[in-house]
Amino acid sequence: MTHYRISEAAALVGVSDDTLRRWVADGLLTVSKDEAGRQVVPGRELAARAQAIAAAVPDRSHVRRSARNRFVGLVTKVEIAGLMAQVELQCGPHRVVSLMSAEAAREMRLEVGSRGVAVVKATTVIVETEQDAS
């Protein structure tokens, strides 16, 4: 089973080490010790906690959609040039970049610090993992 050190687990779900330790203290996650004596969190529990956090973000749009990949975050950059705009969101540990019309960016009143949801519909999603050291 995959385990993550406290700092790794916190980075993966986009919270501080202290927040992750509070979750352990509150019984939301369990820890054990690895062979080096460091506290580690089970990957399955961390994945379930990440899903619970995502599910807790309300969808106030009242819109039905086929896209299932929704990343809630904060707008960190808006660059409008001519007919196009580049908008960047920080969604937890993920940076999401969107290209859209300048008209759409203006209509949405996008500005640094505003809340946004990146909705992604893709037929191809590439998944990567680290190679085993063996």
Side-chain angles (χ1 to χ4, degrees):
M1 180 187 330
T2 302
H3 286 79
Y4 296 99
R5 292 189 330 262
I6 296 290
S7 59
E8 291 175 314
L12 284 169
V13 294
V15 299
S16 70
D17 294 8
D18 289 339
T19 295
L20 200 116
R21 286 187 184 96
R22 275 194 298 278
W23 291 348
V24 170
D26 292 343
L28 298 171
L29 292 173
T30 59
V31 292
S32 58
K33 300 247 179 171
D34 66 7
E35 53 280 346
R38 298 174 295 204
Q39 289 186 323
V40 292
V41 176
R44 284 187 184 274
E45 285 187 30
L46 188 63
R49 183 72 186 136
Q51 287 179 316
I53 293 167
V57 176
D59 181 1
R60 296 186 175 101
S61 66
H62 306 292
V63 173
R64 291 184 184 137
R65 65 179 61 84
S66 63
R68 299 291 182 246
N69 304 307
R70 301 179 75 245
F71 301 93
V72 178
L74 292 172
V75 175
T76 56
K77 187 176 186 181
V78 179
E79 286 187 10
I80 298 176
L83 296 173
M84 297 302 295
Q86 180 176 322
V87 179
E88 295 183 15
L89 289 94
Q90 191 66 41
C91 305
H94 307 287
R95 175 177 163 252
V96 180
V97 179
S98 175
L99 299 176
M100 65 181 71
S101 70
E103 179 183 13
R106 288 186 186 102
E107 282 179 6
M108 295 174 70
R109 297 185 183 113
L110 293 174
E111 64 183 19
V112 172
S114 60
R115 182 178 182 270
V117 180
V119 180
V120 180
K121 177 75 173 185
T123 57
T124 302
V125 176
I126 298 168
V127 177
E128 297 178 333
T129 63
E130 291 182 5
Q131 222 173 1
D132 288 335
S134 49

